Amino acid sequence: MSQPDRLWINVTLFDGLTTAGQPMAVAVTKGLIERVCPMSELPAGERVAGEVIDAEGRLLTPGLVDCHTHLVFGGSRAGEFEARLEGKSYEDIARAGGGILSTVRATRAACEDELFAAALPRLEALMSEGVTTVEIKSGYGLTVEDELKMLRVARRLGCERPVQVVTTLLGAHALPPEYKDDADGYIELVCNRMIPAAAAEGLADAVDVFCEGIGFSVAQCQRVYAAAKQHGLAIKGHTEQLSNLGGSAAAARAGALSVDHIEYLDEAGVTALAEAGTVATLLPGAFYMLRETQVPPIALLRRHKVPMALATDANPGTSPIFSLRLMLNMACTLFRLTPLEALSGVTTHGAQALGLHQHTGRIAPGLRADFCLWNTSNPAELAYSVGLPTLAKRVFAGH
Ligand code: DI6
Ligand code: FE
């Protein structure tokens, strides 16, 4: 057998789904995981071309996956936060032309370099807590050029830092003022101009929609999904966040990788996810910031064995939170996930929500060597404490 570039020994392993019951070893070659075995099965005198890292019993997990963010945007919505504290609702603010549309104005006014400079510290905050894969959506441009501008910034973030960036075109996020009273006309622009342009330039991996009373109807979202599929792009949906329109089931039937938020999802919707193999992505940051009370149907998702991913939804309006560790805590305290379910949500199931589960999100042979080594041996610690820097080492593609 060839000699691995790196050998991790005496590891407490969480492989993305479960913890191993005994000390483990992980061998890495050319940026990929070559072998995972109990220490007791490591051949005596195992030779290593490069480094041996003794974890001394500390926890090794897959690199974290934040499968739903809006990291690229201009401006701030602190004023809207204050207005909500005074009693205005998120929907009232949106209908009055604030909310998403106020970020659209600031994002349109910013050039690529400005958006890049603003997004970089947000990305670095996520990376500093162990994120090795992050999805970034557009959706604050709402013209062909401004949406492509956002996606270019997202791609550039992935080129300039050791992290995998997956990009999602969210043209159908809100109705821009130019199309006021013509939502179908705008959906036509998304389908006939934005999606083809993003696909032609290789700028988008997936297409997302906001299926909601203050967003787009199920029928409009279905048109977007059809156009995305025509151009070979994966699909996702912001669905059942503020009301139940049946958007999750429609997305699942169209083959969506994930449906996200889903506070108002009912059992028929859960069944549709189970049948389609669609991931349910939980976003407790938005739930918390909007002081929602309707909790996603966790027991039903468990019963129907729907994989649950967990993400920050980092965005200037409903989740100005750039900490995936905090989401682990919130998923447990607010949604009653177990710490291991939450951890699977930011590893295995987060990767599945991006269609990347053959490449990252688990510690298994053949996958990319994306790891976090933590200053603890107990995975529950990662969901339990908030604010302590417990990450000892972050490894992306073996380095
Ligand atoms: N739902 C959300 O939580 C984000 N987008 C969406 O469709 C919020 C976006 C924002 O308020 O800026
Ligand atoms: Fe979102």
Side-chain angles (χ1 to χ4, degrees), residues 120-144:
L120 196 55
R122 300 172 194 141
L123 175 65
E124 287 175 339
L126 294 177
M127 290 171 62
S128 74
E129 289 191 333
V131 169
T132 51
T133 299
V134 58
E135 184 254 21
I136 303 178
K137 301 178 196 295
S138 64
Y140 294 118
L142 311 187
T143 67
V144 176

Side-chain angles (χ1 to χ4, degrees), residues 17-31:
L17 284 172
T18 55
T19 43
Q22 55 184 314
M24 300 290 284
V26 180
V28 173
T29 298
K30 294 193 175 66

Side-chain angles (χ1 to χ4, degrees), residues 66-69 71 126 282-283 285-286 310-315 319 321-325 327:
D66 193 348
C67 68
H68 181 142
T69 86
L71 279 190
L126 294 177
L282 308 174
L283 305 172
L310 175 65
T312 59
D313 193 17
N315 77 69
S319 191
I321 304 181
F322 304 88
S323 169
L324 197 53
R325 282 286 307 282
M327 294 307 121

Side-chain angles (χ1 to χ4, degrees), residues 70 77 80 90 99-100 103 140 173 210 238 241 261 286 313 315-318:
H70 310 245
R77 305 247 291 278
E80 174 187 323
Y90 180 65
I100 293 173
T103 300
Y140 294 118
H173 193 195
F210 186 24
H238 286 70
Q241 179 185 10
H261 288 288
D313 193 17
N315 77 69
T318 60

Side-chain angles (χ1 to χ4, degrees), residues 63-64 120 123-124 126-128 130-134 156-165 368-371 394-399:
L64 306 188
L120 196 55
L123 175 65
E124 287 175 339
L126 294 177
M127 290 171 62
S128 74
V131 169
T132 51
T133 299
V134 58
R156 185 174 152 202
L157 288 164
C159 293
E160 298 203 10
R161 287 296 178 274
V163 64
Q164 179 175 16
V165 170
R368 196 171 60 213
D370 297 346
F371 303 142
R394 173 191 181 275
V395 177
F396 176 67
H399 295 285

